Each structure stands twice: as structure tokens, then as C-alpha cells.
Amino acid sequence: MMDEMQLGNKYLKQIFQNIQDGIIIMDECREILLMNPSAKRLTGWNMNDRVPFCSFCENRNLKEGENRCYLIESNEVPYFLSKMPTYHGNKIDVEMSTALMFTDRKTEKREYLLVLRDQTIQLKEEEARFSKLMIKKLIEAKESEHKRLAQELHDGVGQSLYSISVALQAIESYVHNPKLNTYIEEVRLELEKVMNDIKLYSHQLRPHSIDQLGIIPSLKSLLESLQKVHPEINIRFDANSTARCDPSVEINVYRVVQEAMHNVVKYASARHVFIQLNRTSNHIELTVEDDGVGFDIESIRNEGLGLKHMEERIDQLGGTFSIESVLGQGTQIKIEIPKCKEDAPYD
């Protein structure tokens, strides 16, 4: 029995020394009789100090003879959230609870257990969750608006311009004035240019193929267009699966590749780019690698909005985003996203 008690005391001492909650033994005058390292670290108080009243107790209305400390007055084990003053004058958010530990029968002096749990970390985690939720909603709203505008440009403005083009061709067939015919032809050619621009803007806002066909055809179309405009860059794309993904995964992967290729074209001076999209049993993996000039990641981490937006998109999908770059050797972006829903394979 004694061995069990000694063993129990040993573990209780270890718990007292290592637990993250602040543990304080105080008397009814709130003088600290014993405290663990976490309480010292959390508050900065010392042995024999008096525990200050929390912000709630400082301001609460008292009945006659009532103890200002709500927890002691209640004489049970309640807990509540409040702000507790620390040694340097600041107040921290804590969850507090008390328990009556000992009463001297002769003097009726009492000793109380006070437990303090730091709420700062929890509040920061809640703020981070809220911030992530806001970013997610903003991204979804942005993509929804892009989809609406792209559809309006393609089906609304684009079709109207096409009707005008057809009407000009019909008018041209009835006009026999050479100068007027030349002018109409110039107008029609300019109109075709505007129609092509509208089609390009619509595609940049949101490619129709990503909703109709999926990520693979959309990426192929994007990279083929870039290859035509930048023949000096050898762009290679490889994918090991033709299965469809959840729409949110497809559009965000597409945006990552789109942003990465924008950076390659604008900054990298690369000769070769390799994009690989693989599906495993558990994940989708994307790699974008170039042999360009590279850059110092730390120097632009707080300035590169494009990199930040890519990272935020992948974070919203529960994935991981990493980037490595070596000056003079190129850049590699890797993302990994948990397995998404499967749909029909591409044609």
C-alpha cells in the first residue's frame, strides 16, 4: 500500500510540475501558498503574493458580507472566463475554476485550489479558423463571380457582337460603293478582333471547359495557348489519371497552374517547364518545375501576392503547398490535396 502511495505521489508531483494549466493553492486572503511552473509562467506572480481579482470580480456588485471573489463566494467548483491581471500590468484571458481544499477546524481558515487555463491560444486558433473561413468564402465568391462574368461575356456580349458581325456582312453585300465597302470591311475586322478579345477575357475569367470537361482538358488548353504565344519555352504536361474531381479542387488546381505559369513567363526566363498531375489512392499531387533564374523565397515571401494566393487556395482544400527555388537553377512548386470525389473519366 505504501509503495502505491509513493508511486501516486510521484506521478502527482510530475503532473503538478508539467501540466500546462496554472495551479495555485491560496488561502482565503488570496495569498499564494503554492504554485506550479505553469502558473508562474502564465502570470509572473510569486509565492506569498496575493492573487489579484479578475476583471469580473473587480467590477461586480456585492451584497453585504459577500466575498468579492465570485469563485470563493460560490464555495463550489464553478468555472468561467474572465481577464486576470499579470505581474506586468497586462490582462490575459483565462478560464478559472476553484475548489475548497482544506479547512482548519480550530481556526476555520481555508485553503483553495485555483486553476487557470490560458485562453489566448484558443482565441488565436478561433481567429485563425474564422480567418480561413473568410478566405474560403471570398475565394468561392470570387470564382462564382468569375463564372457569371465569363458566361455573360461569352453568351451575352459575345453573341451580340457576332450578330452585329453577321449584319455587317449582309449590309456589305448590298453596298456597291468601293470606299464604303472598304470601310465596312475595316469595321468588321475590328469587330472580329473585339470578339476574339472577349473570348480571351471570358476564358481567362473561367474556362468553360473546366465545368464541362474538367481539369485535364482545361490545363492542356491553357498550356497549348501559352506554348503558341511563347514558343521559346518548352512546356511539357503529364497526368496519370483521367478521373474527374470535385469542382472546387479542379478550379483551384487550375488557378495554381495558371499563376505559376504567369510567374514563369514573366520572371523566370525559363527554357523548359514540366507540369505533372498525379492521383494516388489518397491524394492529388501537382508539381510545376522550371529551369529558370530562380529567386530568394524569403525576400519575397511577404511581397509575393501570387504565391500567397496559391498557398491560400490549397490550404482551403486541406492540402499542403511548398515551393523551392535556387538562384540560377530554377523553381519547383509542389502541392498535395486529399483525395477528391471521382466522377466519369474524360473522353
Side-chain angles (χ1 to χ4, degrees):
M1 179 67 68
M2 183 60 66
D3 289 342
E4 290 182 3
M5 289 181 62
Q6 291 176 345
L7 185 62
N9 289 333
K10 173 185 174 182
Y11 285 122
L12 283 174
K13 288 180 180 178
Q14 290 183 1
I15 292 171
F16 182 78
Q17 291 294 322
N18 296 298
I19 193 170
Q20 296 300 306
D21 292 343
I23 298 177
I24 294 173
I25 303 297
M26 64 181 183
D27 63 18
E28 55 193 359
C29 295
R30 303 175 68 82
E31 181 179 336
I32 298 175
L33 307 176
L34 183 66
M35 65 191 307
N36 72 340
S38 290
K40 171 69 175 177
R41 185 172 58 251
L42 184 63
T43 66
W45 303 332
N46 297 305
M47 295 288 294
N48 302 319
D49 284 351
R50 290 187 184 276
V51 175
F53 292 108
C54 69
S55 58
F56 172 78
C57 292
E58 280 181 342
N59 300 307
R60 77 187 190 97
N61 295 322
L62 300 179
K63 298 177 181 178
E64 185 176 352
E66 188 177 19
N67 194 307
R68 180 162 291 279
C69 177
Y70 170 72
L71 294 176
I72 290 179
E73 178 63 32
S74 298
N75 199 24
E76 38 186 61
V77 194
Y79 68 90
F80 69 98
L81 301 178
S82 188
K83 291 184 180 292
M84 180 64 78
T86 62
Y87 74 103
H88 45 66
N90 293 337
K91 291 186 177 182
I92 56 173
D93 292 287
V94 292
E95 178 186 292
M96 296 180 290
S97 61
T98 60
L100 178 62
M101 298 294 291
F102 172 76
T103 302
D104 190 313
R105 292 182 179 179
K106 293 181 178 180
T107 64
E108 294 188 357
K109 289 185 177 180
R110 298 178 179 182
E111 294 177 1
Y112 294 89
L113 168 70
L114 172 64
V115 180
L116 304 175
R117 175 166 294 174
D118 188 3
Q119 293 294 299
T120 306
I121 297 175
Q122 182 176 340
L123 290 172
K124 287 182 178 179
E125 289 176 349
E126 290 177 357
E127 288 176 1
R129 284 195 294 269
F130 181 74
S131 177
K132 285 185 177 181
L133 178 61
M134 288 297 294
I135 291 172
K136 180 180 180 182
K137 294 300 181 184
L138 285 172
I139 290 174
E140 290 175 351
K142 180 180 178 181
E143 290 299 338
S144 177
E145 183 65 7
H146 279 185
K147 184 176 182 179
R148 186 189 68 80
L149 289 173
Q151 193 75 27
E152 181 63 27
L153 284 173
H154 183 270
D155 296 343
V157 179
Q159 292 299 320
S160 296
L161 291 175
Y162 178 74
S163 298
I164 295 171
S165 177
V166 171
L168 280 176
Q169 288 180 342
I171 292 171
E172 192 176 15
S173 65
Y174 288 99
V175 175
H176 302 292
N177 186 316
K179 289 184 178 181
L180 188 54
N181 275 332
T182 301
Y183 177 71
I184 293 175
E185 177 66 16
E186 291 175 356
V187 172
R188 191 169 59 80
L189 291 175
E190 186 65 26
L191 184 60
E192 288 180 1
K193 181 181 176 182
V194 173
M195 290 169 62
N196 289 331
D197 288 343
I198 291 294
K199 184 178 180 181
L200 176 62
Y201 298 151
S202 174
H203 185 79
Q204 289 175 340
L205 280 169
R206 187 182 178 97
H208 294 283
S209 60
I210 202 161
D211 297 310
Q212 299 169 359
L213 302 176
I215 184 67
I216 304 298
S218 298
L219 286 179
K220 285 181 177 179
S221 176
L222 170 67
L223 299 174
E224 286 171 0
S225 298
L226 287 171
Q227 186 70 84
K228 291 178 182 178
V229 179
H230 300 279
E232 73 280 5
I233 305 176
N234 180 21
I235 303 173
R236 187 159 68 93
F237 174 61
D238 181 47
N240 73 341
S241 174
T242 58
R244 290 296 302 267
C245 295
D246 184 89
S248 64
V249 172
E250 292 191 330
I251 188 59
N252 282 292
V253 170
Y254 179 88
R255 295 301 188 200
V256 168
V257 175
Q258 190 178 41
E259 180 64 31
M261 290 306 302
H262 170 78
N263 291 339
V264 168
V265 170
K266 190 171 182 179
Y267 305 112
S269 299
R271 292 180 299 172
H272 299 87
V273 181
F274 177 53
I275 297 138
Q276 188 171 32
L277 184 63
N278 290 330
R279 290 172 63 97
T280 67
S281 58
N282 298 315
H283 296 90
I284 292 176
E285 298 173 349
L286 172 72
T287 302
V288 182
E289 188 172 1
D290 70 70
D291 61 353
V293 297
F295 60 93
D296 181 2
I297 295 175
E298 293 303 321
S299 66
I300 69 164
R301 186 171 292 278
N302 295 325
E303 300 177 6
L305 291 178
L307 294 178
K308 187 66 176 176
H309 290 163
M310 285 192 281
E311 188 172 2
E312 287 174 348
R313 285 180 178 275
I314 301 307
D315 183 62
Q316 295 306 315
L317 298 173
T320 59
F321 175 94
S322 65
I323 180 167
E324 296 179 3
S325 188
V326 179
L327 291 173
Q329 298 184 30
T331 302
Q332 183 184 73
I333 292 173
K334 283 188 174 182
I335 69 171
E336 189 175 283
I337 302 169
K339 186 177 180 181
C340 60
K341 305 172 187 176
E342 294 188 359
D343 200 339
Y346 300 113
D347 294 332

